Amino acid sequence: IQNYAPLSLTPKYKERIGKPNYYYFEPQHLPHFVNSAEWNLASTSTSSPSIHFILYSPSQEEFPLRIHDTQGQPLLTNAFLIPRWGGIMIKNAKLSTEYKFTKSELQPILKTFLSQLRSLIGVKDLKSRKFEGLVSFEAAKKSGITLLEKDNLIRTRTLENAGNTISTLKSLGQLVDEIPNMVVQEHINLKVRTSLGHLEAARECLEKEDFMGALEHSIEAVELAEKAFFDPTMVSMLYFPDEHKYAIYMPLFVPTSVPLIAALIKEIKKLKKQ
């Protein structure tokens, strides 16, 4: 909880005739809303990427603060997402010396955060018009995600991981073919073979309808494939191909080779005269 967190941007001011005036941000400003320099949002408990949810209450100088959509109209939710980072909601609380939110006031805020979390992890709304009148979908009241949505997410992630694994290993194979003198060490070979083994295991799990097992194997497969591709011994070859070696060593060998060649030609001419 930050007691005071200034913004890195200055909101615009909108004057309206017969209606209350307000401050606002446009869509192009939202990616820069978070003041990374002064907002201490780094986690001290883990080095893994975290999902952030921020409830921002503007100061009196920027009250009320709203968000405009692409059409220039204020958003009803007054909330937005930053992909692969988290969600932010602006709450124009009543101006006072203290900001306090009751349980009833926090409920719609947490519902917004729950909706943002679903979007960030890739949970898609399964409601469809073609099922209208035939199938009714009931929202998850406690967990925030239904078993059907969870199952759909597991299958989607499994397919994405399998596709990324195949693409990464294919790129690695093309890299080795393009650089014939590249030395592929044994530990990279082991990672590639193990990745292929997990990929095959994921396929077998899918045939048995063991979707959770398929997801676990697909995660192992894509992680090993990326470790093999971004191995330091492989990455160094990407930045030092043969053309770079020639460019480095030619200025060293050419000046020394020219006198040697000239001397060799001179000696050959002497031998011919004799």
Side-chain angles (χ1 to χ4, degrees):
I1 298 175
Q2 301 286 337
N3 294 325
Y4 178 72
L7 295 174
S8 58
L9 300 173
T10 302
K12 296 183 178 181
Y13 185 70
K14 186 176 182 65
E15 295 184 2
R16 300 189 297 178
I17 300 175
K19 295 182 180 180
N21 303 328
Y22 63 88
Y23 294 87
Y24 68 95
F25 280 114
E26 295 179 339
Q28 63 268 25
H29 300 145
L30 299 182
H32 310 287
F33 183 89
V34 177
N35 189 353
S36 302
E38 298 189 25
W39 295 11
N40 185 19
L41 301 176
S43 175
T44 57
S45 59
T46 177
S47 58
S48 301
S50 303
I51 297 179
H52 304 83
F53 294 100
I54 294 179
L55 175 62
Y56 182 82
S57 295
S59 62
Q60 296 183 6
E61 292 77 13
E62 300 169 345
F63 183 91
L65 182 61
R66 297 183 178 179
I67 301 172
H68 277 189
D69 58 15
T70 55
Q71 305 299 326
Q73 299 298 322
L75 291 175
L76 296 177
T77 59
N78 218 26
F80 62 96
L81 282 175
I82 298 180
R84 305 180 67 86
W85 189 86
I88 298 174
M89 182 176 183
I90 299 175
K91 176 65 174 178
N92 293 300
K94 296 179 181 179
L95 296 178
S96 62
T97 56
E98 295 183 359
Y99 288 93
K100 293 183 179 180
F101 296 97
T102 63
K103 185 177 181 180
S104 59
E105 290 175 334
L106 285 175
Q107 282 184 348
I109 296 172
L110 294 179
K111 286 183 179 180
T112 301
F113 286 158
L114 178 59
S115 176
Q116 291 177 338
L117 177 61
R118 287 168 55 89
S119 299
L120 288 169
I121 64 177
V123 178
K124 297 180 180 179
D125 192 355
L126 297 180
K127 294 181 180 179
S128 178
R129 292 182 179 179
K130 62 182 179 181
F131 295 118
E132 189 173 355
L134 301 175
V135 179
S136 60
F137 293 90
E138 185 176 356
K141 297 180 180 179
K142 294 183 179 180
S143 62
I145 180 173
T146 64
L147 292 177
L148 186 60
E149 290 171 335
K150 179 182 177 182
D151 186 57
N152 182 63
L153 179 62
I154 290 174
R155 299 186 189 195
T156 302
R157 285 288 184 268
T158 301
L159 292 177
E160 289 178 355
N161 291 337
N164 291 336
T165 301
I166 295 172
S167 177
T168 302
L169 293 179
K170 183 178 179 181
S171 299
L172 181 59
Q174 292 175 348
L175 177 65
V176 174
D177 291 338
E178 292 174 359
I179 307 178
N181 61 342
M182 175 181 286
V183 178
V184 180
Q185 298 185 8
E186 184 61 29
H187 70 278
I188 298 177
N189 182 24
L190 179 61
K191 289 178 182 178
V192 172
R193 292 181 179 275
T194 308
S195 176
L196 290 172
H198 281 292
L199 193 62
E200 177 64 20
R203 185 190 65 81
E204 294 175 354
C205 288
L206 288 175
E207 291 180 350
K208 300 176 183 178
E209 297 185 356
D210 180 11
F211 300 112
M212 185 57 71
L215 176 63
E216 293 174 355
H217 283 294
S218 69
I219 292 174
E220 292 290 338
V222 71
E223 288 181 351
L224 287 170
E226 291 179 351
K227 287 180 180 179
F229 186 83
F230 293 105
D231 189 271
T233 59
M234 302 292 291
V235 174
S236 62
M237 295 301 296
L238 289 175
Y239 297 99
F240 294 99
D242 292 338
E243 292 80 2
H244 285 200
K245 294 178 181 178
Y246 296 147
I248 293 173
Y249 291 114
M250 284 292 285
L252 298 176
F253 288 107
V254 170
T256 57
S257 60
V258 170
L260 292 175
I261 295 174
L264 179 61
I265 294 174
K266 186 177 181 180
E267 292 297 326
I268 292 174
K269 289 181 178 179
K270 286 182 179 180
L271 291 174
K272 287 183 177 180
K273 289 180 180 180
Q274 293 177 357

